[in-house]
Amino acid sequence: MAETPSGTDSINAYCNFDPKVMTTTECSKPVPTQTRSKLELAAALSGVMTYTSANGFMTGGLGVAGRQLGLTEVEIGLILGLGALIGVVAAPAWGYAAEIWSRRKLMLWAVPMVALGPAVMAVVMERFILLSAAISGIVLGAARLLQAIFGAALIPVAQGYMADFTEPSQRLRGMGALSAAISFGTLSGSVLLWLTGHLGVAAGFAIISVFGLFASLMGLAYLPQDVIPRTALPREETALPLADIWQYLAITLVGFTCYTTVPPIFALRLVDKYGMDGGTAAVQTGLVLTVGVLAVCIAQVWIASWHFKRPRGMLGAGSAGIFIGLIALLFARDILGMCLSMAVIGFAVGFLAPAVLGAMSVLSGRGAQGKIGGINMAARGLGSALGPVLGTVLYQADRDAPIWGSLAMIMIIFLLTFVSRDPRALAS
């Protein structure tokens, strides 16, 4: 296979380009060489892993560090919550920008900003600059917003790259790789918190900033130049096909609401129902949730490695697996049973995101890939915000109510799967 062309020649190679009028009427997708595509893939996903590892680390580490700086729990919650909310708003905007501007430039701007947020937090937490509690809170909030605003660009842009790098028939594998990068980054952030806890949270944030520096250098070296002027694509290639993909967006919203309903009350359930003390319950909760995230990563790596062709079949199997895992969790009587239940749930959850992303990608044109990535990320963020609230409200009614609520939501996903449009005809 020939090496991918670059510059003006690359545009002429893939498009009917008239240099006299500087317009492009028809484009075909560039196909990189096998060796180069792996480097491009790593560069496109490295920024995503930096962003999600920062989120995973921050979720567990910011509370302890904020208390040491004199912040209250409410102030820490506001810092985390506002960052999540701004991501829901910013992601669709970045998705549209990814179809108008250079994806390479967007990523080269976004990754350093995502790394800068944790770097500022490390400086504040290590007290290199003596600040009052109020000023520290403002600086931490600004750093979190910086990380969240620019981080919201990375997943939509990476999804656009995955669509560029893969044919429709291979789209599920590409989206499996993206989903695995998201899950692996979150897991890495949690593991980093565990490894650096005795050194102080500032050390962990400094390490994430170094990760961001390496991701920036990888992007500079290996991200391809934009060879397709997407603004010249036909309207049907750039329009957002909401009529075809709304069911998949609903699956994302309901799925992430379901997935985040139980974890916030897990430790409380261990204390109230099984009589554990708070410290033991926290440790056991960490163990059970880590098993679940590991299972998600394993499933998505498997999807990225194998040739899956049926998104709706993956959604049906994933929904059934989550249902079985939740039933097992409901009747689990010890930590081993809970770990096994979460392993089943996590493995099944690993099928949902790649299936949804792959189906929507195939159902959308080449000029709408970033758009659907941004809107899907907004649905994901909204579900992640609703889940903990729903879980705590249901828990006040009954200790098992969050699990029953999750079971009801899984039935909704199962039903949505069979009214969604099957993308296999387009993929073939």
Side-chain angles (χ1 to χ4, degrees), residues 7-354:
T8 304
D9 291 339
S10 66
I11 297 179
N12 289 324
Y14 301 119
C15 306
N16 296 327
F17 182 72
D18 187 350
K20 294 181 180 179
V21 296
M22 297 299 290
T23 60
T24 306
T25 57
E26 183 179 356
C27 296
S28 61
K29 185 170 57 180
V31 181
T33 65
Q34 186 68 19
T35 301
R36 186 180 175 190
S37 68
K38 292 180 180 178
L39 295 173
E40 292 171 344
L41 178 66
L45 296 181
S46 60
V48 171
M49 287 189 284
T50 300
Y51 169 60
T52 54
S53 65
N55 285 343
F57 185 88
M58 198 178 301
T59 299
L62 193 60
V64 176
R67 179 173 289 181
Q68 292 173 348
L69 293 172
L71 302 179
T72 67
E73 286 77 6
V74 173
E75 291 170 333
I76 295 167
L78 284 174
I79 292 173
L80 291 172
L82 288 176
L85 181 61
I86 199 67
V88 173
V89 176
W94 284 119
Y96 274 78
E99 303 301 343
I100 300 173
W101 301 331
S102 165
R103 288 174 182 161
R104 185 175 190 271
K105 291 181 179 178
L106 281 177
M107 191 160 285
L108 291 180
W109 271 105
V111 176
M113 293 297 103
V114 170
L116 181 59
V120 172
M121 291 183 174
V123 170
V124 173
M125 293 172 184
E126 195 63 26
R127 298 180 184 271
F128 289 120
I129 301 175
L130 295 179
L131 301 173
S132 65
I135 299 299
S136 295
I138 293 173
V139 174
L140 289 178
R144 166 62 170 159
L145 288 177
L146 181 71
Q147 180 258 350
I149 290 172
F150 284 92
L154 294 176
I155 293 178
V157 173
Q159 182 168 335
Y161 272 126
M162 291 302 102
D164 289 344
F165 295 164
T166 56
E167 297 296 332
S169 61
Q170 297 287 320
R171 196 60 50 80
L172 286 175
R173 293 183 65 182
M175 296 309 165
L178 174 59
S179 299
I182 295 171
S183 300
F184 183 76
T186 304
L187 177 63
S188 299
S190 301
V191 172
L192 183 63
L193 180 60
W194 174 60
L195 293 176
T196 62
H198 65 286
L199 299 176
V201 176
F205 279 117
I207 292 173
I208 291 173
S209 298
V210 175
F211 289 165
L213 176 61
F214 280 114
S216 300
L217 294 176
M218 285 192 67
L220 188 63
Y222 296 117
L223 282 178
Q225 298 289 341
D226 293 84
V227 298
I228 300 178
R230 289 177 298 276
T231 54
L233 291 170
R235 186 179 182 278
E236 59 269 19
E237 290 285 330
T238 61
L240 192 66
L242 287 177
D244 293 330
I245 67 172
W246 72 265
Q247 299 95 333
Y248 292 105
L249 291 173
I251 289 172
T252 297
L253 175 62
V254 177
F256 275 91
T257 303
C258 172
Y259 188 57
T260 55
T261 294
V262 175
I265 56 88
F266 213 105
L268 296 175
R269 191 167 179 267
L270 292 178
V271 172
D272 296 337
K273 190 169 183 176
Y274 299 101
M276 294 184 184
D277 62 86
T280 302
V283 171
Q284 301 290 14
T285 296
L287 173 63
V288 173
L289 295 181
T290 299
V291 169
V293 176
L294 276 173
V296 173
C297 292
I298 292 170
Q300 291 174 344
V301 169
W302 183 39
I303 292 168
S305 304
W306 287 72
H307 189 49
F308 287 85
K309 296 182 178 180
R310 300 180 58 207
R312 294 206 301 182
M314 292 169 62
L315 288 171
S319 300
I322 296 172
F323 189 90
I324 293 170
L326 287 170
I327 292 292
L329 183 63
L330 191 64
F331 293 101
R333 291 293 176 263
D334 53 28
I335 294 301
L336 177 60
M338 294 175 188
C339 285
L340 292 174
S341 301
M342 284 303 297
V344 173
I345 293 171
F347 192 82
V349 165
F351 279 76
L352 297 188

